[in-house]
Structure formats: structure tokens, C-alpha cells
Amino acid sequence: MKSQEIIYEGINLQNTKDEMISQPDHYADSEIECIDAMVSAFGQKNVKIYAEVAAFKYIWRMNRKHQSSDQDKKKTIWYLRYSMGDDPRKD
């Protein structure tokens, strides 16, 4: 499923290729990524629910961790896409 480009205030919110968004080193430092291990352990349905909760977390804390909310917005979109079965790592 290819998503349309989403631009907000000059920021490409669809661009999840940013390493800190799509595949941060601390989540992808072994043969299997953390989210894939979670699917193996808890099942796809539960990990999609987790992704919705994670998206909520990034919206909740937006602008509290960094000066710019760009990274939190992109992570929110990443998790929402994943929760809908659109794995951003496949872009």
C-alpha cells in the first residue's frame, strides 16, 4: 500500500526514512527488529494496538521533549500507519 505524500507547514510528514523515525539503531541493532520480535511474541493484532497507544504517547508529549515537534509528528504517523497494516519500513 503506497501512501500519498503529506506536507504540513513545509514538513514532509510521510517521509519516514529518517533513521530516528523508521529504524533507530537502538531498535534495529540485532538480526530481528524489536517490532518484529513483538509480533512474534504477542501477535500482529496486539502489536497494532500497541502502535495506536505509541502514537497517542507521541501526540501527548509533543513539544515537551524537543524544541521542534517534527520528530514526534513523524513518529506518530509511523505508528498510525503501522497500526493500519501499512508498514512504513517498506517505503
Side-chain angles (χ1 to χ4, degrees):
M1 179 176 167
K2 195 68 173 173
S3 302
Q4 292 182 346
E5 190 173 75
I6 300 170
I7 305 292
Y8 177 74
E9 295 184 359
I11 301 163
N12 183 349
L13 297 178
Q14 202 63 24
N15 179 8
T16 57
K17 288 296 182 189
D18 181 334
E19 287 179 12
M20 286 306 295
I21 307 301
S22 190
Q23 294 177 304
D25 290 340
H26 55 281
Y27 286 128
D29 61 353
S30 63
E31 290 182 26
I32 185 169
E33 286 190 48
C34 180
I35 200 157
D36 296 321
M38 291 169 60
V39 170
S40 292
F42 305 110
Q44 186 68 45
K45 180 181 175 185
N46 288 327
V47 176
K48 284 182 177 182
I49 292 168
Y50 162 80
E52 291 176 4
V53 173
F56 178 86
K57 174 189 76 170
Y58 283 108
I59 291 170
W60 183 268
R61 71 175 198 185
M62 195 175 297
N63 296 320
R64 293 185 180 140
K65 190 174 177 185
H66 308 284
Q67 272 189 325
S68 170
S69 63
D70 295 356
Q71 189 176 54
D72 286 334
K73 288 175 186 174
K74 288 180 179 183
K75 286 184 178 183
T76 298
I77 290 169
W78 194 98
Y79 278 109
L80 288 174
R81 286 182 61 193
Y82 189 90
S83 75
M84 295 183 294
D86 179 19
D87 188 338
R89 298 173 296 170
K90 296 179 182 176
D91 283 351

